[in-house]
Structures are given as structure tokens and as C-alpha cells.
Amino acid sequence: MQRRRFLHLTLAAGAGLALSGCGFRLRGLDASTVSLDSIALVAADTDLTPAVQAALESADTAIRDDAPLRLNLGGESFRESRRTFGSAASREIEMTLTAPFSVQRQRDNAYLLDQQQLEVSTNFSISDDNLLAQDDIREEARQELRQEAARRLLDRLRALDNQPAS
């Protein structure tokens, strides 16, 4: 039980350090809202979709079918790779989430962002001594990656909103 708690605290501390060192936050460019009033969402039926919906709604962006822009969100995929090798009982693993997306204008179906990829990664450690906790640690990492992917998607939408309208 102590190892599991240690792993959770390690993951939380690592995420906190990564976010606190982000230059964009330090410069004040981490605005929490997208200035889009509304957007249409066409998304695959994956666990990433509710995370994106929640992020848009928390940024005061309504999800409506008649919005001027449409966000097309593809399915999520996860990839794992070992970061440490050998016969050690503890392994560090890098997990990467990728998801395709595009943004179109509704009136003429013109792509403002065509065939883009969201890609986020995290590292975590698992131990062969505690096999029951491995699934929980992996699922926790997946949830963190989904939330980070939703935040990065909002950043891309924010950058899109700052471009002149065509």
C-alpha cells in the first residue's frame, strides 16, 4: 500500500514540476478561456470526447450543431514503451496518447486546421511486486493524458481564434 501511495505522489509531483516550469504559464499566456462562443463537435466515441467537452464547457464555449466552426475529433490511441531495461522489479514506462483532429468552417467546409495530431506523453513506474496496482496506475496515466490532450486542443483553438477571419 505504501508503494502505491509513493507512486501516486511521485506522479503528482512530476506533473506539478512539469507544469510549474512551463514558460507559457510564467509569461501569463495561459489564459483559461477560449474566446470562441460556440463550436460544433463531431467526435469518435472514446473516453477523450467527454474530456474535450468538459474543457470546452469550462472555457465558456458552447457546443452547438449550428456553430460557425466544427471540430472533428478522431479516436484516441495509446502507445507504451519501456524506458528502463533489465530484470529489475520496477520499470519506468512512457505512455503516449495520439488523436487526430481538424477544424472546419461550417458555411463552406473549408479546413482551418487540416489533419492535425494531438500527442501527449507521460512517464510512470510500475513494480512487479504489486501486480494489482499496475492497472490502476495505467488507467490514472490515461486519464491524465486525456486531460492534457484536451488542454492542448484548447490551446490550438485559442491560437486559431487569434488568426484573422477569412
Side-chain angles (χ1 to χ4, degrees):
M1 186 65 177
Q2 287 181 349
R3 286 185 183 164
R4 183 175 180 187
R5 182 171 168 79
F6 174 74
L7 289 174
H8 287 237
L9 291 175
T10 304
L11 282 173
L17 288 174
L19 291 176
S20 68
C22 180
F24 293 111
R25 276 188 197 271
L26 295 175
R27 286 188 225 121
L29 296 177
D30 185 42
S32 62
T33 62
V34 175
S35 58
L36 294 172
D37 293 331
S38 64
I39 194 163
L41 179 62
V42 178
D45 187 22
T46 65
D47 290 334
L48 178 60
T49 302
V52 170
Q53 288 173 330
L56 286 168
E57 289 169 357
S58 72
D60 295 327
T61 300
I63 300 172
R64 296 190 340 237
D65 290 337
D66 63 342
L69 297 179
R70 177 175 57 236
L71 171 62
N72 304 305
L73 183 62
E76 65 183 20
S77 65
F78 289 96
R79 183 181 69 244
E80 286 187 19
S81 60
R82 271 182 125 169
R83 304 286 295 174
T84 56
F85 296 97
S87 61
S90 180
R91 297 183 310 263
E92 186 170 328
I93 295 178
E94 178 181 40
M95 182 182 286
T96 304
L97 175 139
T98 56
F101 77 97
S102 62
V103 177
Q104 291 177 278
R105 277 193 309 253
Q106 293 269 48
R107 70 173 186 263
D108 59 0
N109 288 330
Y111 283 97
L112 301 177
L113 293 174
D114 187 22
Q115 298 180 354
Q116 301 287 307
Q117 282 285 353
L118 280 172
E119 184 171 300
V120 291
S121 298
T122 190
N123 294 319
F124 60 92
S125 296
I126 58 174
S127 172
D128 290 339
D129 294 338
N130 194 352
L131 296 175
L132 297 176
Q134 288 183 12
D135 290 339
D136 292 340
I137 293 169
R138 278 189 170 88
E139 186 56 34
E140 194 173 303
R142 284 185 187 103
Q143 291 300 329
E144 288 175 15
L145 288 174
R146 288 179 185 117
Q147 291 174 0
E148 179 62 24
R151 281 191 292 271
R152 290 204 187 167
L153 182 59
L154 286 180
D155 289 343
R156 292 200 185 171
L157 291 174
R158 197 175 295 120
L160 178 68
D161 189 48
N162 292 332
Q163 294 177 355
S166 301

